[in-house]
Amino acid sequence: MEDYGVGLDIGSNSVGWCVVDSTGRMIQVRHQYGLGVRKFRTAVKAVQTRLLRIARRRYKRRRARLRLLEDYFKVNSNILQVDPTFFERLHQSSIHKDDIRFQKKFRLFSLKQDKEYQKAYPTIYHLRWKLMTEDKQFDIREVYLAMHHIVKYRGNFLMGNKNPQDFNFKSFQYVDSFRALNEYFGKRLDIVELLPDNDDDISKFKDIMLSGNKAMDRKKELSEFLKGGPQKAKIDKNIRDAVANLLVGYKAKMNILSGVGSDVQKESDWSFSLNNLEDDRERLESTLNDDDIQMLEECLGVYNAISLTRLIPNEEGFSASMVEKYNLHRSQLRILKKYAGEKTLTEKNEILGKYADYLNNQNSTTKNTQDYFYGAIKKIIKPDIGQDDNAKKIADWIEQEIFLPKQRTSQNGSIPYQIHQGELDKIIENQGKYYPWLMTPNPVMEDVMNQQYKLDELVSFHIPYFVGPLITAKAQTKNSGSHFSWMVRKQPGTVNIWNFNKKVDQTKSAIRFIQRMKTPDTYLLGEEVLPKCSLLYQEYMVLNELNNIRINKRHILREQKEAVLEGLFKNKKSVSVKEFKEFLVAKGYFEKTGEIDISGLSDPKHFTSGLTTHYAYRKILGNKVDRPEYREDLEKIINWTSLLKNDMLRQQIDQINWLSTDEKNQLAKVPLAGWGRFSRKLLTGLVDNSGRSIIDQLRWQSGRNFMAIINEKVYAQQIESMNEQYIKSHQELGISDIIDNLYTSPSVKKGIREVLGVVRDIEKAMGKKPKWIFVEAARDPDIDPKRSQKRAKTLLDTYKATAKNIVDDVVKKQLEPFANDKNKRKLTEKMTLYFMQNGQDLYGINESLNFDELSSYQVDHIIPQSKIKDDGEFYNQVSHLEFRPK
């Protein structure tokens, strides 16, 4: 049989194929033309599945904590002698007392005691408060109920491992955070002192944020306050509004806060709120640098301090503030009912119906939100505000957002566990006089300083994220076939909160977690990538950016690049274009900054890369950071820091003998995270005929970036050879495992698997392997039309500004509807090229393209894709009529 080739067109949900001979003509396969389409389901991200799995795991761990609390009371107290069926009733407390399927009427206590309990403690916070403050022996069941509530709803862990005894959010040092933020905004936005940095202005800031005004009013006041005096009067309102939105809890756009250009793919990807930062953190961190992340952390600290102060305004604590909230709700409800009682029966039922919907927390709907309830009540009372005192009071309370406050709201999620543990300790100390076993010391010696009682661990302990499910990978695969565990054990046996450190090897578990999360090298199969903060990787990033820029339309000179690296990037955490120009002038390359034009940067005001790790380490180690004999050890420390945290990291750094104790402690505190895309072997292991590696080429050549160098034949051949060797030496893995290790998206991996199936079928039918394979791969469709709208607006602006004299009026009118925000029609690839070419076929002379027949045109790449990696950029594409009649 003659040699044949296979043509493949790989899409996101289909593979088109055909079989051709050496001349490109289609041939028959088993008496049929060799062409067809393989359809399959588009790959969908596993985000929703992962969230559900995490939720199940969280609830399972909560139930485990409550079981430990219950077992502790069963073993140490006489609670079962006092009430043998107490726990049984609690377990069945969700069953309605009139459910006919059950004969027993499950209640908290007996019927009489239930009424007495509910009268004495209208809410669980009343019970918690009295257990902390009243010097008397309480029923052991009441003690359990209060502790059960604390353990079940123990708060967040955003404040780290601060000692609950010393924890005081009202002493938060605003000035330190504001100075750090001012430094950030000064570098990124060229703004001087956006936020207050003296006691008087900070006091005004707190007055605004803690006032009884609505959130929207506080946002407006803060934005106006940030405007300040004449020095600040020119600050862009968009920036002030973004900062105000962020600190109030509204959504803000990171591209405005960081000064990044607005030509992002989807503006929604840059929107976030501090209230949901943990949910958005992964998405944001993929596009942010270290300075941006540090800015978010500082803002989060300010936001948490303000939120906690508003939630717990008095000095007596969380439960006391909840009791006050209950009392306020009760007194305001009397006034609402009094007002409703004076209305008609229909109006009364409407008011009470709205109130009932508002209180219904079982089903999350619009009707039980505060905004909906306030709006409905305002509409009802509006005609009576001028003539009814009760209506006026209700209107004033709604305006201040304090009308009928709920105890259970999303704001409770901002409470850190230290506050709940502090109340637990007060209960233990108060009731420990009557139940000494409550004061059992904590057996976990590592935590005794912060958690002195054994029960404290039920609130303060949480399984580190890097440990994952408490089951080894081998055991999980054997039991369920799943592959979502990576824990490494020290000892066999049941793991609980008091023996966790003895049973689980946290260091090895953390390393295994990071290793499974790391992506492989983009080019070399099986090679581990460098940390994003590696000295070598950051040098590559800076050199690649410098080699891309133009100084007055010329590439940067080698001597300029060396001077900039040593004198500027190694002495600055981040470098702005302004600082870059000033440095060139200071070194005598130019006379003044006004004559320097810098182009080729993704951010016109700043370099997006920097030698941040070198800068941080130099402040600790001095010139030792530049000495070659220490380089390998420093890269080890960076790798450990990217993998481990806290004590585990400190233990690893102890292996480096030439460091002093103080240097080790300081290095352990330097925050480094993230992973790059390339391995050390790719940057330093591949060499050309002169013995120069890729990083050497970036260092000594100008005007040649990474993509230009990697596509050189000498490097491309080495990459191909190494990958072939890897596949041959790892045949036991199978092709599926090799695909899993590729640096590409899951949707592309799914397409590759489908392609392999198609090629196998063709090979089976033809009786031999194909000689040639031709591949065309399509990108995923852009579901969101905002990108095409922004592209259309950019084109329209270009038409109006620089191309107004040459653009055809017909073409301009055809473009205008796509620039409308309300228009959901997408600007396709061929449409974009049509408008960029002013409706002309660039391969023909004075030949116009027909907008209504764009589907019949061909998109060509000016420089073949086999010669340049263009990622579908329009500057390398042209639309033309493929078959033109002669």
Side-chain angles (χ1 to χ4, degrees):
M1 178 177 284
E2 295 182 3
D3 292 335
Y4 71 96
V6 176
L8 299 167
D9 188 351
I10 309 172
S12 59
N13 62 351
S14 65
V15 176
W17 59 271
C18 69
V19 183
V20 297
D21 60 17
S22 58
T23 64
R25 295 181 180 275
M26 196 179 302
I27 61 178
Q28 289 191 347
V29 181
R30 292 183 178 177
H31 311 294
Q32 294 183 8
Y33 279 113
L35 79 162
V37 176
R38 160 75 173 164
K39 298 282 288 183
F40 54 89
R41 300 179 75 177
T42 304
V44 180
K45 291 184 179 180
V47 175
Q48 193 60 35
T49 303
R50 183 172 68 249
L51 292 176
L52 292 172
R53 183 172 64 250
I54 291 171
R56 289 195 301 270
R57 190 179 297 161
R58 185 171 67 249
Y59 288 131
K60 183 179 179 180
R61 290 174 177 175
R62 177 199 282 179
R63 290 193 294 270
R65 292 199 310 272
L66 296 176
R67 280 198 302 272
L68 288 173
L69 178 66
E70 181 179 321
D71 292 343
Y72 186 79
F73 269 72
K74 285 179 179 178
V75 171
N76 294 285
S77 73
N78 65 341
I79 194 168
L80 292 179
Q81 285 77 35
V82 173
D83 191 344
T85 61
F86 175 68
F87 290 114
E88 181 185 355
R89 293 198 304 274
L90 282 184
H91 296 160
Q92 303 295 337
S93 60
S94 61
I95 299 170
H96 194 276
K97 63 185 180 64
D98 294 328
D99 195 320
I100 59 174
R101 295 174 296 170
F102 299 91
Q103 294 181 354
K104 290 185 178 181
K105 305 297 183 183
F106 294 102
R107 299 184 181 87
L108 198 57
F109 305 105
S110 66
L111 181 60
K112 183 179 179 181
Q113 285 179 306
D114 269 357
K115 290 182 179 179
E116 293 173 354
Y117 172 85
Q118 290 163 2
K119 183 177 180 181
Y121 315 114
T123 70
I124 191 67
Y125 297 104
H126 288 75
L127 175 60
R128 285 171 58 167
W129 175 241
K130 290 190 177 182
L131 282 168
M132 287 188 287
T133 57
E134 293 189 6
D135 188 11
K136 70 172 186 178
Q137 184 175 5
F138 281 76
D139 189 318
I140 188 62
R141 292 171 294 180
E142 295 174 344
V143 176
Y144 175 82
L145 289 173
M147 291 187 176
H148 181 279
H149 187 260
I150 291 173
V151 171
K152 186 174 183 179
Y153 303 107
R154 59 180 180 170
N156 64 57
F157 288 79
L158 298 178
M159 296 293 185
N161 296 321
K162 294 181 180 178
N163 191 325
Q165 283 74 36
D166 302 331
F167 182 75
N168 182 6
F169 57 88
K170 294 190 177 180
S171 62
F172 180 80
Q173 297 298 314
Y174 289 91
V175 65
D176 294 338
S177 292
F178 286 161
R179 283 174 181 169
L181 289 170
N182 282 334
E183 182 181 355
Y184 171 85
F185 291 127
K187 288 181 178 179
R188 299 307 295 267
L189 304 174
D190 295 327
I191 294 175
V192 179
E193 295 181 6
L194 174 64
L195 291 158
D197 63 350
N198 59 72
D199 292 340
D200 291 339
D201 285 344
I202 289 175
S203 179
K204 293 176 183 176
F205 168 83
K206 291 165 70 175
D207 289 342
I208 293 171
M209 300 301 288
L210 300 176
S211 68
N213 297 333
K214 293 191 300 184
M216 180 55 71
D217 292 337
R218 294 199 305 273
K219 176 252 175 181
K220 291 178 180 178
E221 285 185 53
L222 180 58
S223 179
E224 190 64 26
F225 170 72
L226 295 177
K227 184 177 180 180
Q231 190 179 16
K232 299 183 183 180
K234 296 182 180 179
I235 296 177
D236 191 333
K237 186 176 185 298
N238 290 331
I239 296 172
R240 290 188 283 111
D241 286 347
V243 174
N245 279 333
L246 193 66
L247 297 180
V248 168
Y250 287 159
K251 279 195 171 185
K253 292 180 179 177
M254 190 64 203
N255 56 315
I256 295 177
L257 294 168
S258 62
V260 175
S262 60
D263 55 337
V264 292
Q265 290 186 4
K266 296 179 183 178
E267 294 215 353
S268 60
D269 289 347
W270 292 80
S271 298
F272 72 102
S273 71
L274 291 175
N275 197 32
N276 299 313
L277 182 60
E278 290 308 302
D279 297 333
D280 296 327
R281 186 182 292 272
E282 183 178 348
R283 170 173 58 82
L284 288 168
E285 287 186 353
S286 63
T287 57
L288 305 180
N289 60 31
D290 294 340
D291 287 345
D292 298 332
I293 294 170
Q294 184 60 35
M295 181 272 288
L296 291 182
E297 295 295 341
E298 296 290 352
C299 288
L300 183 62
V302 175
Y303 174 75
N304 283 335
I306 292 294
S307 298
L308 289 173
T309 306
R310 290 184 64 83
L311 195 59
I312 311 174
N314 57 44
E315 299 292 335
E316 296 180 323
F318 178 56
S319 291
S321 67
M322 287 298 183
V323 171
E324 285 186 9
K325 192 178 285 189
Y326 171 84
N327 293 334
L328 177 63
H329 187 114
R330 183 173 60 176
S331 63
Q332 291 176 341
L333 180 58
R334 290 198 190 102
I335 292 176
L336 179 65
K337 288 183 175 180
K338 184 177 179 181
Y339 172 79
E342 297 170 354
K343 310 300 289 182
T344 65
L345 182 60
T346 302
E347 292 173 325
K348 176 182 177 181
N349 289 338
E350 183 182 6
I351 292 172
L352 298 181
K354 299 292 184 187
Y355 176 70
D357 290 337
Y358 171 61
L359 290 188
N360 180 17
N361 284 326
Q362 296 301 316
N363 300 309
S364 181
T365 64
T366 305
K367 292 183 178 180
N368 60 23
T369 62
Q370 186 183 77
D371 290 340
Y372 179 86
F373 175 66
Y374 282 1
I377 296 298
K378 280 175 68 176
K379 187 176 180 180
I380 294 171
I381 67 173
K382 187 176 181 179
D384 300 325
I385 291 177
Q387 53 195 10
D388 189 301
D389 290 340
N390 290 331
K392 188 177 185 308
K393 288 179 181 177
I394 293 171
D396 291 340
W397 288 329
I398 289 176
E399 189 67 22
Q400 298 175 47
E401 296 183 342
I402 59 170
F403 182 54
L404 297 176
K406 291 182 182 180
Q407 285 188 330
R408 295 181 61 184
T409 67
S410 60
Q411 287 183 328
N412 292 6
S414 63
I415 302 294
Y417 81 87
Q418 286 92 341
I419 289 178
H420 292 288
Q421 187 192 318
E423 296 202 349
L424 176 65
D425 287 346
K426 289 179 181 178
I427 293 173
I428 290 174
E429 291 163 4
N430 198 26
Q431 291 301 303
K433 294 177 285 188
Y434 312 104
Y435 306 107
W437 48 269
L438 288 174
M439 304 180 74
T440 302
N442 189 356
V444 184
M445 300 309 298
E446 298 92 329
D447 298 340
V448 167
M449 291 296 294
N450 292 345
Q451 290 82 39
Q452 56 180 319
Y453 303 118
K454 186 175 183 179
L455 287 174
D456 285 339
E457 288 289 334
L458 291 171
V459 176
S460 64
F461 174 81
H462 70 293
I463 299 172
Y465 66 91
F466 52 78
V467 170
L470 296 181
I471 184 173
T472 62
K474 185 177 180 181
Q476 189 184 55
T477 302
K478 180 180 178 181
N479 294 342
S480 63
S482 300
H483 53 278
F484 299 113
S485 63
W486 54 90
M487 182 188 73
V488 179
R489 277 183 172 273
K490 286 182 180 178
Q491 300 175 1
T494 303
V495 180
N496 62 43
I497 61 176
W498 295 295
N499 67 11
F500 182 83
N501 294 335
K502 296 178 180 178
K503 298 289 185 182
V504 177
D505 191 325
Q506 296 188 56
T507 302
K508 290 183 179 179
S509 297
I511 292 173
R512 184 173 289 186
F513 167 73
I514 296 296
Q515 295 291 356
R516 72 193 295 272
M517 297 294 288
K518 286 165 61 175
T519 56
D521 188 294
T522 307
Y523 294 91
L524 296 177
L525 293 175
E527 290 295 328
E528 291 188 0
V529 293
L530 289 165
K532 192 176 180 180
C533 297
S534 161
L535 296 173
L536 175 62
Y537 195 80
Q538 286 193 340
E539 183 184 7
Y540 144 72
M541 294 286 287
V542 171
L543 289 170
N544 195 50
E545 191 168 18
L546 286 173
N547 284 358
N548 274 328
I549 68 170
R550 304 285 192 278
I551 302 176
N552 293 343
K553 298 183 180 181
R554 295 178 178 271
H555 292 297
I556 186 171
L557 300 176
R558 175 177 165 180
E559 61 176 286
Q560 292 174 335
K561 185 164 54 176
E562 291 177 3
V564 166
L565 276 174
E566 293 296 326
L568 187 59
F569 279 88
K570 286 187 177 181
N571 296 308
K572 292 278 187 180
K573 193 174 182 180
S574 61
V575 177
S576 67
V577 171
K578 180 182 178 183
E579 291 169 333
F580 184 79
K581 290 180 179 180
E582 291 172 349
F583 181 85
L584 293 177
V585 171
K587 289 296 181 179
Y589 295 111
F590 297 93
E591 293 185 0
K592 52 186 177 181
T593 58
E595 65 184 40
I596 307 174
D597 176 61
I598 306 295
S599 59
L601 289 170
S602 59
D603 182 347
K605 292 185 178 180
H606 299 85
F607 287 84
T608 56
S609 57
L611 303 178
T612 55
T613 305
H614 185 283
Y615 174 78
Y617 279 19
R618 196 174 195 173
K619 291 173 71 176
I620 300 170
L621 303 173
N623 292 331
K624 284 191 284 188
V625 73
D626 291 314
R627 291 171 62 176
E629 63 267 30
Y630 296 144
R631 182 72 175 238
E632 185 177 348
D633 285 340
L634 292 177
E635 291 287 17
K636 284 182 181 178
I637 294 172
I638 294 166
N639 192 59
W640 291 332
T641 307
S642 301
L643 288 167
L644 307 170
K645 302 295 178 187
N646 306 326
D647 294 339
M648 294 183 293
L649 171 61
R650 185 62 177 80
Q651 290 171 9
Q652 295 295 319
I653 296 178
D654 275 337
Q655 300 176 31
I656 310 300
N657 297 324
W658 56 269
L659 291 171
S660 68
T661 302
D662 183 56
E663 288 172 339
K664 291 176 181 178
N665 291 333
Q666 290 188 63
L667 288 173
K669 294 178 181 178
V670 178
L672 304 176
W675 300 91
R677 297 190 298 123
F678 308 135
S679 63
R680 178 180 298 277
K681 191 170 187 178
L682 181 75
L683 294 177
T684 63
L686 307 182
V687 294
D688 62 9
N689 297 329
S690 302
R692 291 181 298 182
S693 65
I694 292 175
I695 195 71
D696 290 334
Q697 296 265 28
L698 289 169
R699 286 169 180 159
W700 310 127
Q701 293 196 30
S702 294
R704 288 176 57 75
N705 61 17
F706 175 82
M707 288 308 305
I709 296 169
I710 199 69
N711 282 305
E712 288 182 8
K713 189 175 181 180
V714 63
Y715 296 117
Q717 287 178 341
Q718 291 179 67
I719 291 171
E720 184 178 355
S721 175
M722 288 180 178
N723 287 339
E724 287 177 356
Q725 291 176 13
Y726 176 83
I727 293 173
K728 288 178 181 178
S729 62
H730 292 79
Q731 290 182 354
E732 73 281 358
L733 293 177
I735 191 67
S736 180
D737 295 318
I738 293 174
I739 292 173
D740 285 338
N741 291 327
L742 292 176
Y743 182 81
T744 187
S745 67
S747 60
V748 173
K749 290 178 182 178
K750 183 171 184 177
I752 293 173
R753 290 190 175 92
E754 297 292 339
V755 165
L756 288 174
V758 170
V759 173
R760 286 196 195 100
D761 289 344
I762 294 172
E763 182 182 331
K764 184 178 179 181
M766 297 296 293
K768 61 183 294 187
K769 294 181 179 179
K771 184 73 173 177
W772 317 279
I773 295 180
F774 312 96
V775 178
E776 165 105 353
R779 289 172 293 163
D780 291 339
D782 188 5
I783 299 172
D784 192 336
K786 288 186 179 180
R787 185 180 182 183
S788 63
Q789 289 170 2
K790 183 169 288 294
R791 190 182 296 148
K793 288 180 180 178
T794 304
L795 283 168
L796 199 59
D797 290 342
T798 304
Y799 283 2
K800 293 177 180 177
T802 58
K804 58 184 177 182
N805 295 326
I806 60 175
V807 174
D808 191 287
D809 290 338
V810 175
V811 175
K812 182 179 177 181
K813 288 181 180 179
Q814 288 171 331
L815 175 63
E816 287 175 350
F818 292 95
N820 188 347
D821 290 329
K822 296 181 180 179
N823 183 21
K824 301 301 181 183
R825 189 182 176 191
K826 293 189 294 183
L827 196 63
T828 65
E829 179 183 57
K830 290 182 179 180
M831 289 179 183
T832 303
L833 292 172
Y834 171 84
F835 291 119
M836 290 176 69
Q837 296 169 204
N838 192 23
Q840 299 295 308
D841 182 349
L842 299 189
Y843 285 180
I845 301 175
N846 297 325
E847 292 193 25
S848 298
L849 299 171
N850 190 331
F851 186 74
D852 297 323
E853 296 180 2
L854 289 180
S855 59
S856 63
Y857 296 115
Q858 178 74 15
V859 175
D860 253 7
H861 289 78
I862 302 169
I863 303 175
Q865 287 181 298
S866 61
K867 303 298 183 184
I868 185 174
K869 179 179 171 64
D870 66 6
D871 288 328
E873 293 295 336
F874 290 111
Y875 67 78
N876 190 37
Q877 296 178 14
V878 59
S879 183
H880 72 102
L881 187 61
E882 185 176 21
F883 300 108
R884 188 176 294 105
K886 294 183 180 180

